[in-house]
Amino acid sequence: MASIAFNAKFKTTCCSQVGSARTVSILRQFRDGTAAGRFLEKTGGRGGYMAIFACEDPDARAAQANAIGVRTANVITHAPYHGVQLHPRDCRAAFIEFNHTDGSDDVLGPYPPAGPEWQKFIRKDVTRMLTGVEMQSPDPLALAEHWGRIIGVAVTRSDAGDAELRLPNCRFRFVKGEAEIMSALEFRVRDVAAVCEAARGRGYSVSGNEFLLGGVSFRLVA
């Protein structure tokens, strides 16, 4: 079973300075009895763990979710950061978190969960940006509508006809699958072949322009 899980952070609304920064974090389980560990046991190590949405008022967003039956699982306040995590069973497919950090209207501003100097680790010579998330479900439209109600975004259709939720700096695409999971992350990179070769050299399964890491497909475009 995979021992890591992925979080991905996005913006739900345009802020005063709009940019391209999105972050992906990797969680590793070091002890039993953790939320991430229970998630991995439930999914068999397949699928992303959490989608984190930056917004102006996490508590108001959570209250709206509570009103449609989505429970709050955890509240974290670590000034200047404040986050509200919703119950994964009610969200379906993955955790949803709403958070706000004072000063984070600047997309390269502070974000305590990523550490005090996270900006130093940006590598645009390899990866340019995270552009999309693929969600799978036996009923993708129903899952899209459910997530749309939670995060307050209307469902649209992609050029291929898939249900989508379009955010200011990313899109969530919902496709048919056996289980409800966050199945893939889509990245724009400088050199697709070089990234695939690096993944293959590290022993990851590569197929076409994507590879599987920690139960999530990393899909690449130039």
Side-chain angles (χ1 to χ4, degrees), residues 4 6 16 22 36 38 66 87 95 99 123-124 127 142 168 173 187 204 217 221:
I4 61 176
F6 290 93
S16 58
R22 275 132 271 181
R38 289 190 293 272
N66 296 161
H87 201 292
F95 268 96
N99 70 37
R123 288 282 308 276
K124 286 194 172 181
T127 305
R173 185 168 57 91
F187 295 89
Y204 298 118
S217 295
V221 297

Short mmCIF file of all heavy atoms in Angstrom, two decimals, residues 4 6 16 22 36 38 66 87 95 99 123-124 127 142 168 173 187 204 217 221:
data_model
loop_
_atom_site.label_atom_id
_atom_site.label_comp_id
_atom_site.label_asym_id
_atom_site.label_seq_id
_atom_site.Cartn_x
_atom_site.Cartn_y
_atom_site.Cartn_z
N ILE A 4 2.04 7.48 1.12
CA ILE A 4 1.97 8.94 1.01
C ILE A 4 0.62 9.34 0.44
O ILE A 4 -0.07 8.56 -0.19
CB ILE A 4 3.11 9.51 0.13
CG1 ILE A 4 3.03 8.95 -1.31
CG2 ILE A 4 4.45 9.21 0.73
CD1 ILE A 4 4.06 9.55 -2.25
N PHE A 6 -1.61 13.02 -1.11
CA PHE A 6 -1.38 14.33 -1.70
C PHE A 6 -2.46 15.32 -1.32
O PHE A 6 -3.65 15.00 -1.29
CB PHE A 6 -1.34 14.22 -3.23
CG PHE A 6 -0.12 13.51 -3.73
CD1 PHE A 6 -0.16 12.15 -3.98
CD2 PHE A 6 1.06 14.20 -3.93
CE1 PHE A 6 0.97 11.49 -4.43
CE2 PHE A 6 2.19 13.54 -4.36
CZ PHE A 6 2.15 12.18 -4.63
N SER A 16 -6.82 40.21 -4.89
CA SER A 16 -6.36 41.49 -5.42
C SER A 16 -5.18 41.33 -6.37
O SER A 16 -4.98 42.15 -7.25
CB SER A 16 -5.98 42.42 -4.27
OG SER A 16 -4.97 41.83 -3.47
N ARG A 22 0.13 27.58 -7.40
CA ARG A 22 -0.64 26.52 -6.76
C ARG A 22 0.35 25.61 -6.08
O ARG A 22 1.48 25.50 -6.54
CB ARG A 22 -1.41 25.69 -7.81
CG ARG A 22 -2.73 26.25 -8.20
CD ARG A 22 -2.88 26.26 -9.71
NE ARG A 22 -2.36 27.50 -10.23
CZ ARG A 22 -2.37 27.82 -11.51
NH1 ARG A 22 -2.82 26.99 -12.40
NH2 ARG A 22 -1.91 28.98 -11.91
N ALA A 36 -4.71 10.66 7.65
CA ALA A 36 -4.15 10.28 6.35
C ALA A 36 -4.00 8.76 6.25
O ALA A 36 -4.24 8.16 5.20
CB ALA A 36 -2.80 10.96 6.13
N ARG A 38 -5.83 6.47 7.81
CA ARG A 38 -7.16 5.88 7.62
C ARG A 38 -7.63 6.05 6.18
O ARG A 38 -8.26 5.16 5.60
CB ARG A 38 -8.16 6.50 8.59
CG ARG A 38 -7.93 6.07 10.04
CD ARG A 38 -9.07 6.53 10.93
NE ARG A 38 -9.13 7.97 11.08
CZ ARG A 38 -8.46 8.65 12.00
NH1 ARG A 38 -7.67 8.03 12.87
NH2 ARG A 38 -8.59 9.97 12.08
N ASN A 66 -22.07 23.20 5.93
CA ASN A 66 -22.83 22.58 7.02
C ASN A 66 -24.32 22.62 6.73
O ASN A 66 -25.05 21.68 7.05
CB ASN A 66 -22.57 23.30 8.34
CG ASN A 66 -21.13 23.22 8.81
OD1 ASN A 66 -20.71 24.02 9.64
ND2 ASN A 66 -20.35 22.27 8.30
N HIS A 87 -15.72 17.08 6.56
CA HIS A 87 -15.66 15.64 6.75
C HIS A 87 -15.57 14.92 5.40
O HIS A 87 -16.41 15.14 4.52
CB HIS A 87 -16.89 15.16 7.51
CG HIS A 87 -16.71 13.83 8.17
ND1 HIS A 87 -16.56 12.66 7.46
CD2 HIS A 87 -16.62 13.50 9.49
CE1 HIS A 87 -16.40 11.66 8.30
NE2 HIS A 87 -16.44 12.13 9.54
N PHE A 95 -11.00 14.91 1.09
CA PHE A 95 -11.22 16.02 2.01
C PHE A 95 -11.36 17.31 1.22
O PHE A 95 -10.75 17.49 0.17
CB PHE A 95 -10.00 16.20 2.92
CG PHE A 95 -10.05 15.47 4.23
CD1 PHE A 95 -9.44 14.23 4.35
CD2 PHE A 95 -10.63 16.03 5.35
CE1 PHE A 95 -9.41 13.56 5.56
CE2 PHE A 95 -10.62 15.38 6.57
CZ PHE A 95 -10.02 14.14 6.69
N ASN A 99 -9.36 27.71 3.60
CA ASN A 99 -8.48 28.41 4.53
C ASN A 99 -8.16 29.82 4.05
O ASN A 99 -8.42 30.17 2.89
CB ASN A 99 -7.19 27.61 4.81
CG ASN A 99 -6.24 27.53 3.64
OD1 ASN A 99 -6.08 28.47 2.88
ND2 ASN A 99 -5.58 26.39 3.50
N ARG A 123 10.44 25.56 -8.62
CA ARG A 123 11.36 25.14 -9.68
C ARG A 123 10.68 25.28 -11.04
O ARG A 123 10.23 24.30 -11.62
CB ARG A 123 11.80 23.69 -9.46
CG ARG A 123 12.75 23.49 -8.28
CD ARG A 123 14.17 23.90 -8.66
NE ARG A 123 14.60 23.25 -9.89
CZ ARG A 123 15.10 22.01 -9.95
NH1 ARG A 123 15.23 21.29 -8.85
NH2 ARG A 123 15.48 21.51 -11.10
N LYS A 124 10.58 26.50 -11.55
CA LYS A 124 9.91 26.68 -12.84
C LYS A 124 10.76 26.24 -14.02
O LYS A 124 10.27 26.21 -15.15
CB LYS A 124 9.48 28.14 -13.00
CG LYS A 124 8.29 28.51 -12.14
CD LYS A 124 7.68 29.83 -12.55
CE LYS A 124 6.38 30.07 -11.80
NZ LYS A 124 5.74 31.33 -12.19
N THR A 127 8.85 22.45 -13.59
CA THR A 127 7.38 22.46 -13.55
C THR A 127 6.89 23.89 -13.56
O THR A 127 7.26 24.69 -12.70
CB THR A 127 6.87 21.75 -12.28
OG1 THR A 127 7.42 20.43 -12.23
CG2 THR A 127 5.36 21.66 -12.28
N ALA A 142 -23.02 13.89 -10.76
CA ALA A 142 -23.53 14.04 -9.39
C ALA A 142 -22.42 14.50 -8.45
O ALA A 142 -22.65 15.36 -7.58
CB ALA A 142 -24.14 12.74 -8.90
N PRO A 168 -10.38 30.26 -10.54
CA PRO A 168 -9.54 31.29 -11.15
C PRO A 168 -8.20 30.78 -11.64
O PRO A 168 -7.64 31.32 -12.59
CB PRO A 168 -9.36 32.32 -10.03
CG PRO A 168 -10.58 32.16 -9.18
CD PRO A 168 -10.90 30.70 -9.22
N ARG A 173 -12.01 18.42 -13.31
CA ARG A 173 -12.75 17.70 -14.34
C ARG A 173 -13.22 16.37 -13.75
O ARG A 173 -12.45 15.66 -13.11
CB ARG A 173 -11.85 17.46 -15.55
CG ARG A 173 -12.53 16.82 -16.74
CD ARG A 173 -11.62 16.91 -17.96
NE ARG A 173 -10.32 16.29 -17.71
CZ ARG A 173 -10.05 15.01 -17.96
NH1 ARG A 173 -10.97 14.22 -18.49
NH2 ARG A 173 -8.85 14.51 -17.72
N PHE A 187 -0.21 18.85 -14.93
CA PHE A 187 0.83 19.85 -14.80
C PHE A 187 1.30 20.32 -16.17
O PHE A 187 1.43 19.52 -17.10
CB PHE A 187 2.04 19.29 -14.05
CG PHE A 187 1.78 18.92 -12.62
CD1 PHE A 187 1.33 17.65 -12.30
CD2 PHE A 187 1.99 19.83 -11.61
CE1 PHE A 187 1.09 17.29 -10.99
CE2 PHE A 187 1.76 19.48 -10.29
CZ PHE A 187 1.30 18.22 -9.97
N TYR A 204 9.04 4.66 -11.33
CA TYR A 204 7.60 4.86 -11.41
C TYR A 204 7.07 4.37 -12.76
O TYR A 204 7.77 4.41 -13.78
CB TYR A 204 7.25 6.34 -11.24
CG TYR A 204 7.67 6.88 -9.89
CD1 TYR A 204 8.61 7.90 -9.80
CD2 TYR A 204 7.15 6.35 -8.71
CE1 TYR A 204 9.01 8.39 -8.57
CE2 TYR A 204 7.55 6.83 -7.48
CZ TYR A 204 8.48 7.85 -7.41
OH TYR A 204 8.88 8.33 -6.19
N SER A 217 -2.17 9.79 -10.59
CA SER A 217 -1.56 9.95 -11.91
C SER A 217 -1.11 11.40 -12.08
O SER A 217 -1.90 12.33 -11.86
CB SER A 217 -2.55 9.58 -13.02
OG SER A 217 -2.87 8.20 -12.96
N VAL A 221 1.70 18.20 -19.65
CA VAL A 221 1.61 18.87 -20.94
C VAL A 221 2.69 19.94 -20.98
O VAL A 221 3.16 20.42 -19.95
CB VAL A 221 0.22 19.53 -21.16
CG1 VAL A 221 -0.89 18.48 -21.19
CG2 VAL A 221 -0.08 20.58 -20.09
#
